[in-house]
Amino acid sequence: MSEQNANLAALSQAGVSVWLDDLSRTRIKSGNLAELIATKSVVGVTTNPSIFQAALSKGDAYDEQVNELAARGADVDATIRTVTTDDVRNACDILAPQYESSKGVDGRVSIEVDPRLAHDSDKTAAQAVELWKIVDRPNVLIKIPATEAGIPAIAKTIAEGISVNVTLIFSVERYELVMGAFLDGLEQAAAAGHDISKIHSVASFFVSRVDTEIDKRLDAIGSDEATALKGKAALANARLAYAAYQQVFEKDDRFAALAAKGANAQRPLWASTGVKDPAYPDTLYVGELVAPGTVNTMPEKTMDAFADHGEVNPDSIIGQGPASQEIFDKLSAIGIDITDVFVVLENEGVEKFEASWKELLDATAEQLAEKSKG
């Protein structure tokens, strides 16, 4: 019997669900995903367009299936949909025991709607339903970006009884709209007769990219005061998000009424937790974001670092709201346009996933064309 790594087990015991921010057919078939579940406390998986683009561009794990699809005359979109949903379905099956033992809270695998639909509410909601039906597993989470168009799509998808991972959240203000959409969707789902106790959701709050963007602006200012604020914004932002979560899910009468009907809180998920600046500790966005009822989805490199030398700081979030707000007040005072930071980050996030998806489409089109010639 494999033993769980002590550091990651301690993180789990502190109430943080450990999810892997990666998926590939090689991970599934080699037994690597099962091994991470057995030894690294992994109880969930997240994917995104960049992850699938990387998976399909390496090695030959997908060649046989792409050949078969080419022989059947499948187009590019159908090929990618089939390949990615097969991976997610298989990962869902591997994580089914974690899903059962956690009563649906964990054991989750996320798949994202086509990033080209990020600014189209109706098409996003329609594809969310389509992906839910294709994967056909109760432990799948459909990822919807928290763009302005994404907010009504989130409510509409939840209203259909579908579990959702809301992604690309950068600001607390947008997060508050996400939580509102979740509650709207739950109320509509309950009115439509869905069992809302079966609906789960996480809100993916991106962490490291906040420091990357704000640190760049602090460097441009160059003062001692600016330098002293480097590396502090991302954690402060996440801690303010958790305070907002507590306000809605622990103190709000609206959610209390839904909870009485069996509703689950929408858990905060810390995403983009790999450290981008080598000057910072490589476990910074894991050990310093510890609170019950949260998820931390990590690239394997970050997971390995935490397994090796990570430390759980149990006092890293709860009660940190006022100190975190003070950091943002100081940033504003020295000229950092916080609103602009979040606009830039959201736009870049959508563009990055669109670019990865285009690369995936182009590479798959090329592969299909080669197979049809052969």
Side-chain angles (χ1 to χ4, degrees), residues 166-244:
V166 183
T167 188
L168 289 177
I169 308 172
F170 294 98
S171 72
V172 174
E173 289 75 20
R174 184 60 57 84
Y175 178 42
E176 286 169 343
L177 293 177
V178 166
M179 291 187 286
F182 174 65
L183 298 181
D184 288 345
L186 282 180
E187 286 164 353
Q188 292 165 35
H194 290 288
D195 178 356
I196 61 173
S197 71
K198 297 282 187 355
I199 301 171
H200 286 263
S201 184
V202 292
S204 296
F205 209 83
F206 279 52
V207 184
S208 65
R209 295 186 199 181
V210 173
D211 271 342
T212 301
E213 182 62 26
I214 288 182
D215 283 0
K216 183 171 71 177
R217 298 183 187 212
L218 289 169
D219 283 338
I221 292 170
S223 66
D224 289 346
E225 196 177 4
T227 302
L229 287 166
K230 284 185 68 177
K232 295 187 174 175
L235 291 175
N237 200 39
R239 288 162 178 164
L240 287 170
Y242 190 81

Side-chain angles (χ1 to χ4, degrees), residues 140-157:
V140 70
L141 287 175
I142 308 302
K143 280 180 96 170
I144 297 175
T147 55
E148 285 182 16
I151 299 298
I154 292 157
K156 196 179 283 191
T157 305

Side-chain angles (χ1 to χ4, degrees), residues 333-370:
I334 63 168
I336 300 295
D337 184 341
I338 302 298
T339 302
D340 183 66
V341 166
F342 294 137
V343 168
V344 166
L345 287 171
E346 181 182 303
N347 289 340
E348 282 181 355
V350 172
E351 285 162 12
K352 181 183 175 190
F353 285 163
E354 279 182 349
S356 294
W357 202 248
K358 185 176 184 307
E359 280 180 45
L360 184 52
L361 289 166
D362 291 346
T364 305
E366 199 176 306
Q367 204 172 345
L368 288 171
E370 280 173 21

Side-chain angles (χ1 to χ4, degrees), residues 255-305:
F255 177 70
L258 287 161
K261 297 177 185 176
N264 304 286
Q266 182 186 53
R267 293 187 295 166
L269 179 152
W270 312 125
S272 182
T273 54
V275 171
K276 306 284 193 291
D277 188 334
Y280 302 148
D282 54 4
T283 60
L284 180 67
Y285 305 124
V286 181
E288 291 300 320
L289 287 176
V290 178
T294 59
V295 180
N296 196 307
T297 189
M298 308 172 213
E300 191 169 17
K301 183 180 174 186
T302 302
M303 191 176 289
D304 288 345

